[in-house]
Amino acid sequence: NLHGLKLKKGKSIREKMKEAGVLEDYLSKIKHQAAGKHHFREGFVVYESITSHLDSSYFGEISIGDPPQNFTVLFDTGSSNLWVPSTYCHTLACFNHVKFKPRMSSTFITNGRSYNLSYGSGTLTVLLGYDTLRVSSPSITVTNQEFGLSENEPTQPFYYADFDGILGMAYPSLAVGGTPTVLQGMLEQNQLAQPIFSFYFSRHPTYYYGGELILGGVDPQLYRGDIAWAPVTQELYWQLQGDSRVSCGPLKLMWHLQSMVLWACQGRMTHHIWGYLSIWRLPSGNLLFTLSLQYAVDCKEIKNMPPIIFVINGNQLPLHPSSYVLNNNGYCTLGIEVTYLPSQNGQPLWILGDVFLKEYYTIFDMENNLVGFARSV
């Protein structure tokens, strides 16, 4: 059986922080903090800069407890922990979101253990709890699912998030504290037909419909043609390697696939692409952090720009300028931003986000350690 969960699309954290006038200071602070962080740490304790969530604005609903308490969560393939705000939290970010009330659930238990989820913006402290989780209400029910109840949350950026918490969908080895993931719970309690999930992102998203998360398999109505498969290189992130490369005209670059955020690529690689596409950087005031820079293009020249072709495991996946250029009422910017996240082997790290995923229905097969791509309908 397939379980489809509708995804909503709201304003990104970046947009809301910019409107509030706090984005510049926040990104400046993150630049200096991130300089000393490593994306991969011994023992799989991962320090992941929360800036990777700034442009993530696709979210859905789950419930925890009995009777159910509803939450909006970000489904994140770049982490493995589930957490939601709770009544134990008294920081500003928690007061701006729905909070889990342990005393209102007849099935909640805790052993009193806490752990930290560290991000570039600060540390999120959560209390470990166990309760009934419902997804795709109520077709998937997992009893005694471990999850985190936030005890404090950094005001920036969580105060500005449209989602309450995060549901990680990466491999169990990435889970901080060694807690069983939601996908593990679903599989162990026979809630999924297969250890597979897939994402469909609408090319014209609205708040009420941004796409779909399919749990337990693939939906052939959401893609056309054949599925191009590629092996996962490490059971940690959804990371691909091998003969993968990205070409833009005569340019060929190595890359890796990681989590679902706005399409980003390693800094020194981007400068070559910028020159080839003949784009220019917009003035950014006092912004210091590279992720804050925007690159503009002449909207009239979009039709003359080349496709960027990803070659994954021998399969060519082109991305045309109509996809990677964002046209906002005649104001055109590139849907690519710079990131300086280090990889384990020192090769450039690329992150494929919604710019890519709107074009390609993406399948995550945890049983066979494969990622599949097919043209979205």
Side-chain angles (χ1 to χ4, degrees):
N1 295 330
L2 297 182
H3 304 273
L5 181 68
K6 296 291 190 297
L7 300 176
K8 297 180 180 180
K9 186 182 187 303
K11 285 187 176 181
S12 69
I13 297 179
R14 181 187 299 277
E15 291 173 308
K16 297 183 73 173
M17 291 182 72
K18 185 175 181 180
E19 291 174 356
V22 299
L23 182 63
E24 294 188 13
D25 289 341
Y26 171 74
L27 291 175
S28 298
K29 179 184 70 173
I30 293 301
K31 177 190 177 183
H32 296 293
Q33 291 181 349
K37 299 291 186 183
H38 298 284
H39 206 54
F40 299 90
R41 293 292 294 269
E42 184 178 357
F44 300 134
V45 178
V46 176
Y47 292 77
E48 179 184 355
S49 173
I50 196 62
T51 51
S52 63
H53 295 302
L54 280 181
D55 291 289
S56 298
S57 49
Y58 293 82
F59 42 83
E61 293 183 356
I62 65 170
S63 68
I64 302 175
D66 192 7
Q69 300 177 40
N70 297 327
F71 299 90
T72 297
V73 296
L74 172 73
F75 294 96
D76 179 26
T77 59
S79 65
S80 296
N81 291 83
L82 166 63
W83 66 267
V84 294
S86 77
T87 52
Y88 300 132
C89 177
H90 301 290
T91 57
L92 190 61
C94 293
F95 282 100
N96 199 35
H97 292 92
V98 179
K99 295 188 286 187
F100 180 74
K101 303 175 179 65
R103 293 183 179 181
M104 299 297 292
S105 175
S106 62
T107 48
F108 175 78
I109 58 175
T110 180
N111 58 11
R113 185 163 65 96
S114 296
Y115 57 87
N116 296 329
L117 300 177
S118 296
Y119 298 90
S121 58
T123 299
L124 177 79
T125 304
V126 297
L127 172 73
L128 185 63
Y130 303 81
D131 211 330
T132 301
L133 169 70
R134 294 176 177 87
V135 182
S136 189
S137 54
S139 56
I140 296 179
T141 301
V142 181
T143 58
N144 295 315
Q145 173 63 50
E146 291 191 10
F147 71 105
L149 295 77
S150 72
E151 296 180 307
N152 65 71
E153 296 178 26
T155 300
Q156 296 182 6
F158 287 115
Y159 176 84
Y160 301 94
D162 271 333
F163 54 85
D164 302 310
I166 295 176
L167 193 158
M169 306 188 75
Y171 281 90
S173 53
L174 192 61
V176 176
T179 59
T181 67
V182 169
L183 288 172
Q184 282 181 299
M186 292 178 180
L187 292 168
E188 290 171 358
Q189 297 185 29
N190 299 315
Q191 296 296 294
L192 296 182
Q194 303 177 80
I196 295 175
F197 63 92
S198 51
F199 281 97
Y200 169 79
F201 280 4
S202 171
R203 289 184 176 85
H204 304 286
T206 66
Y207 176 82
Y208 298 100
Y209 183 77
E212 295 185 44
L213 164 62
I214 309 299
L215 295 163
V218 299
D219 185 344
Q221 296 183 0
L222 297 179
Y223 70 91
R224 54 186 169 84
D226 296 329
I227 299 173
W229 294 99
V232 174
T233 57
Q234 185 180 22
E235 296 178 23
L236 188 64
Y237 294 98
W238 292 97
Q239 178 177 300
L240 309 178
Q241 201 176 0
D243 66 349
S244 304
R245 64 189 183 276
V246 57
S247 63
C248 176
L251 204 63
K252 293 183 179 179
L253 308 171
M254 297 299 297
W255 69 284
H256 302 263
L257 172 70
Q258 201 238 336
S259 63
M260 288 201 330
V261 297
L262 186 73
W263 185 23
C265 63
Q266 225 245 0
R268 65 178 181 273
M269 297 290 101
T270 349
H271 299 307
H272 297 295
I273 295 179
W274 297 163
Y276 188 79
L277 294 179
S278 299
I279 63 181
W280 56 93
R281 195 174 76 189
L282 295 178
S284 56
N286 296 321
L287 296 185
L288 299 175
F289 194 51
T290 52
L291 283 179
S292 66
L293 301 180
Q294 286 187 300
Y295 294 83
V297 300
D298 186 342
C299 295
K300 298 177 182 177
E301 294 299 320
I302 294 177
K303 62 181 180 298
N304 299 321
M305 297 172 70
I308 297 176
I309 301 173
F310 292 86
V311 183
I312 305 176
N313 200 32
N315 300 288
Q316 292 195 11
L317 305 176
L319 200 62
H320 297 280
S322 58
S323 300
Y324 66 74
V325 176
L326 311 178
N327 190 333
N328 184 15
N329 296 321
Y331 175 74
C332 295
T333 57
L334 204 64
I336 306 175
E337 61 183 7
V338 180
T339 179
Y340 290 95
L341 296 174
S343 63
Q344 283 181 302
N345 55 12
Q347 293 181 341
L349 178 71
W350 285 67
I351 300 173
L352 299 185
D354 58 345
V355 169
F356 180 87
L357 297 170
K358 285 178 183 177
E359 299 300 316
Y360 292 97
Y361 181 78
T362 307
I363 305 156
F364 300 84
D365 183 342
M366 193 166 282
E367 181 177 27
N368 299 300
N369 296 317
L370 295 170
V371 178
F373 304 97
R375 272 286 183 183
S376 291
V377 295

